[in-house]
Amino acid sequence: MKLFLLSKENIGMAKAEVESIAGKGTSDGNFFLTRSSATQLGYTRKVFDVLFGCTKKELLKKMETYPWDKVYKKNFSLRIHGKLAYTEKALAGYVWRKVKRPKVNLENAATQIELLVGKKIYACLLEQSIEEDFHARKAHNRPALHPSSMDPKLARVMINLTGIKKGLITDPFCGSGGLLIEAGLMGLFPVGFDIDRKMLDRAKTNLNHYGIKKYSLHLKDALELAKVDYVVTDLPYGRNTKLNKDLYKKFIQRLSKNLRKKAVIGLPVLGKERYLPLFKKYGLKIIHSFDIYIHKSLSKKIFVLST
């Protein structure tokens, strides 16, 4: 069993991201448990192998009887996430007594044991810490700046919400390439459309800057979208609300005719604007929807869609 320690930025979205890649599981606060592992996540901090789960009353007995010598390698550390009546030192003693010639390494142990406290206590081995430097890829740090480009962590989550593991993923409103960059870094083949040549030039510069070699950019209207398996995109917004609404309607109609698997799209919340009737009208099923606060004058709805 795997345990994912989720970021608290958006718990619902974090759970859905893991589930899209690793399969269905169960939740306990900001923990998500499933049988499969996953990497390259946006809203997950750590991934663990679960050794055992128990109640607080059962903890000491479990610590005493668990065969720590079977998982111990070279040296170890033990950390607690949450509130327990016992110190880390006291609980580490159970491991110490079960291992021949034990060594403690609090900085970079080969065996990193963590006790995560939720409704249950989960004793785990650290599999990976997810330490992607998303900040370094924020719009102001890219060589071809465009201020409206999507936050890279959110872009990563949106891509994962499609469930794609390999192959082509299309952004029909690619702009300066925020979503394309994350897709390329994940080993996918990003395809971008835009009607603005300058935007495509920015996207090309940014993709090349991050060493992404396999991608495809097209001077093309999103409303010319052909048959496609996976779409991830953030639709444009601006002052011309009427024009935007017409664009959204036409794009959703086009998407419904050509989507084979899944799409994840970002749409601005414009007052009391609702997209549900449009999805229903054109036969798109909503798998998930999330609210994302951007700034005081803009919030987004992120929809995961299928036909």
Side-chain angles (χ1 to χ4, degrees):
M1 184 69 71
K2 304 292 181 180
L3 185 150
F4 297 80
L5 178 61
L6 307 176
S7 164
K8 294 182 179 180
E9 291 161 274
N10 189 312
I11 293 290
M13 207 168 179
K15 290 176 182 176
E17 180 191 16
V18 175
E19 194 170 56
S20 295
I21 301 299
K24 291 191 176 295
T26 57
S27 301
D28 185 347
N30 67 320
F31 309 152
F32 188 83
L33 294 101
T34 185
R35 293 191 177 279
S36 300
S37 192
T39 59
Q40 304 188 114
L41 299 167
Y43 283 175
T44 291
R45 292 165 52 198
K46 294 181 178 181
V47 184
F48 299 92
D49 282 309
V50 179
L51 303 177
F52 63 81
C54 65
T55 65
K56 290 183 179 180
K57 288 184 179 180
E58 296 169 329
L59 178 60
L60 294 187
K61 184 176 181 180
K62 284 282 191 180
M63 292 294 296
E64 186 175 7
T65 58
Y66 190 79
W68 296 107
D69 55 320
K70 301 296 184 183
V71 298
Y72 177 87
K73 295 178 181 178
K74 192 176 180 180
N75 50 50
F76 81 101
S77 63
L78 185 146
R79 299 294 188 192
I80 299 171
H81 289 282
K83 293 182 179 180
L84 283 177
Y86 315 104
T87 65
E88 291 177 347
K89 183 178 180 180
L91 294 175
Y94 289 94
V95 182
W96 182 275
R97 290 188 288 273
K98 278 287 181 82
V99 174
K100 292 181 180 179
R101 296 184 292 277
K103 292 183 180 180
V104 171
N105 183 336
L106 298 179
E107 298 299 321
N108 187 27
T111 311
Q112 296 184 43
I113 301 164
E114 302 198 24
L115 300 179
L116 296 99
V117 184
K119 293 178 183 177
K120 294 176 66 175
I121 299 171
Y122 304 94
C124 301
L125 279 181
L126 180 66
E127 180 181 293
Q128 61 169 310
S129 289
I130 297 176
E131 298 175 351
E132 281 271 354
D133 192 0
F134 291 108
H135 180 78
R137 298 196 294 277
K138 282 182 174 287
H140 65 277
N141 290 323
R142 298 174 196 156
L145 169 66
H146 194 273
S148 68
S149 187
M150 179 169 284
D151 175 79
K153 187 180 285 190
L154 178 57
R156 175 68 61 93
V157 175
M158 288 178 65
I159 293 163
N160 280 325
L161 285 170
T162 67
I164 188 172
K165 302 288 179 66
K166 61 181 180 179
L168 275 65
I169 189 164
T170 301
D171 181 356
F173 298 93
C174 73
S176 59
L179 284 157
L180 303 182
I181 292 166
E182 293 307 308
L185 291 173
M186 293 167 69
L188 303 173
F189 191 105
V191 178
F193 303 168
D194 208 283
I195 58 172
D196 186 335
R197 170 64 70 184
K198 289 182 179 178
M199 281 295 194
L200 289 175
D201 289 342
R202 287 187 177 120
K204 183 177 181 180
T205 297
N206 288 331
L207 287 160
N208 291 341
H209 174 75
Y210 291 105
I212 298 163
K213 300 185 184 302
K214 295 182 179 181
Y215 62 85
S216 182
L217 299 173
H218 304 273
L219 187 65
K220 187 173 180 179
D221 194 320
L223 300 182
E224 297 174 16
L225 183 72
K227 293 293 181 183
V228 64
D229 286 339
Y230 297 101
V231 167
V232 61
T233 196
D234 187 34
L235 274 76
Y237 63 93
R239 293 182 179 180
N240 195 333
T241 302
K242 184 177 179 181
L243 181 63
N244 282 342
K245 286 182 181 178
D246 188 51
L247 172 63
Y248 302 159
K249 179 180 177 180
K250 288 179 179 178
F251 176 71
I252 289 168
Q253 182 179 15
R254 184 77 181 187
L255 180 66
S256 69
K257 292 179 178 178
N258 291 287
L259 181 66
R260 292 193 185 103
K261 293 183 180 178
K262 285 186 185 176
V264 178
I265 64 174
L267 288 159
V269 178
L270 301 170
K272 294 184 178 180
E273 174 63 69
R274 297 291 182 267
Y275 302 104
L276 304 189
L278 277 178
F279 297 144
K280 185 176 180 180
K281 179 179 179 180
Y282 296 118
L284 286 169
K285 299 173 185 175
I286 302 173
I287 300 170
H288 298 290
S289 67
F290 307 99
D291 293 312
I292 300 291
Y293 174 82
I294 306 298
H295 51 70
K296 64 180 181 179
S297 60
L298 177 65
S299 292
K300 285 188 180 294
K301 295 285 290 188
I302 306 295
F303 292 99
V304 182
L305 305 168
S306 69
T307 51

